[in-house]
Amino acid sequence: MALIFARPALLGGTPVCPDGPPPWPPADPDVDAALQAALADGSWGRYHGRHCEAFSALLAQEHACTHALLCASGTAAVELALRGAGVQTGDEVVLAAYDFEANFKNVLLLGATPVLVDVHPDNWNMDASQVESALSPKTKAVLVSHLHGGVSDLPRLRELCDTRGIVLIEDACQMPGATLFGRRSGTWGDVSVSSFGGSKLVTSGRGGAVLTNRDDIAQRIRLYTQRGNESYPLSELQAAVLLPQWLKLAERNATRAHNVSHLTAALTLFPGLRPFANTGDVSPAYYKLGLQYDPAFFGDTPRERFVETVRAEGIAIDAGFRALHRTHSARRYRAVGPLAEATKADERVLTLHHPVLLGTSEDVRQVMEAVSRCLRAADELNGRPGTIPFTVPKELW
Ligand SMILES: *Cc1c(COP(=O)(O)O)cnc(C)c1O
């Protein structure tokens, strides 16, 4: 992979991608046609119609589940899954200390206590080996997310929850259409959730779904949401644009995975930027590609400075989530152990946003070029005089 040693755009060079990251969602003639059809048949302005029915049926079929309940957002879907699981005041819900903030808030909303477990060093997703020691007589559910291309040991969690009679809630918002340990994502939980938010792989700007085979869980959710009218709905117009995108998901996931494998191979020469790694038979979907950042490799460039530099090149990279135990009062949760890996995740996660992963090998090369500039210009980026303090390995260029 030939890279050019140019100055970072932040220091006055020309950006690697002057036009910035690719847009999301991309223009799509099938979405266009769906909108035109919804306009023509009047379904855009109706409460009910064939679009929600058809999309719900497609999700149920793809996940081999009896109930696919559509709703207004992934966050609402997590709330409904917790309600469906029967989580109440005084209960405990186990989740990873590095997770989507709203998951933590949803547990609190129901009056329950989040119990935070550490994440696995390889991919900073829930460390399944920590969960058993987190259980108590109050544990009602385990909430596991698949984050940034990483997954937890789902077979182990499934077995533990079965043995102990605990509900497993699977947050598959970042990973639609993945195959995880021989099963489709969204089928590991007693109840699973999806998001169709504006940045997600299948989007209607807002939207979500709850999937389950359990009649009792679906019944509790229906009772809660149908209060004489539906209070958490997805609209016909949203369902109309989701359908054609879902049909392209497998193909797009394959393209993204292909590009991630190229990028991962190129990044082996950058030990300071380690993609989240999975063990076992896992074909993830990539909403974000998680990277473990080591500032020492980049001449002690702080993560925030690195992000700023790469973004200035026109690459959509971000710092990850804040870890939950570092942003919430200890009175709000129960922690299991010192959460040392989650603390590292708090400080070191980088995420590469997915649109670039639908591109070509040239897009992958541009990402490499952008991060290489940070390596080359580390001293200047950090306001230090002098030349490059290390020789960049020849194989890189
Ligand atoms: C996006 C996301 C959600 C839900 O998000 P909404 O924007 O409310 O649809 C939930 N969990 C995770 C892990 C997510 O990435």
Side-chain angles (χ1 to χ4, degrees), residues 73-75 100 103 145 147 171 173-174 195 197 200 207 287:
S73 72
T75 299
F100 190 60
N103 290 359
S145 303
L147 297 177
D171 178 344
C173 291
Q174 296 202 356
S195 165
K200 294 300 195 303
Y287 162 66

Side-chain angles (χ1 to χ4, degrees), residues 72-78 99-103 106 143-148 171-175 193-200 205-209 287-288 321:
S73 72
T75 299
V78 173
D99 198 359
F100 190 60
E101 161 92 9
N103 290 359
N106 268 325
L143 170 52
V144 62
S145 303
H146 316 313
L147 297 177
H148 318 333
D171 178 344
C173 291
Q174 296 202 356
M175 218 176 260
V193 302
S194 297
S195 165
F196 310 117
S199 62
K200 294 300 195 303
R206 300 279 172 181
Y287 162 66
K288 308 269 181 183
F321 301 146

Side-chain angles (χ1 to χ4, degrees), residues 15-65:
V16 174
C17 310
D19 298 335
W24 191 258
D28 183 337
D30 295 320
V31 168
D32 204 67
L35 284 168
Q36 291 299 331
L39 187 65
D41 70 9
S43 57
W44 63 274
R46 302 217 172 95
Y47 283 119
H48 299 288
R50 66 187 173 90
H51 300 297
C52 284
E53 270 175 31
F55 187 55
S56 163
L58 177 64
L59 289 180
Q61 184 196 328
E62 294 249 317
H63 297 89
C65 66

Side-chain angles (χ1 to χ4, degrees), residues 220-236:
R220 275 197 213 97
I221 293 173
R222 288 209 176 91
L223 277 174
Y224 184 78
T225 55
Q226 296 176 2
R227 309 169 191 171
N229 203 344
E230 286 177 44
S231 57
Y232 282 64
L234 188 85
S235 77
E236 272 293 291

Side-chain angles (χ1 to χ4, degrees), residues 9 30 41 52 62 102 172 205 252 259 262 309 322 338-339 366:
D30 295 320
D41 70 9
C52 284
E62 294 249 317
R252 287 179 172 173
N259 281 323
H262 273 210
T309 309
R322 295 301 318 275
L339 306 178
Q366 289 177 349

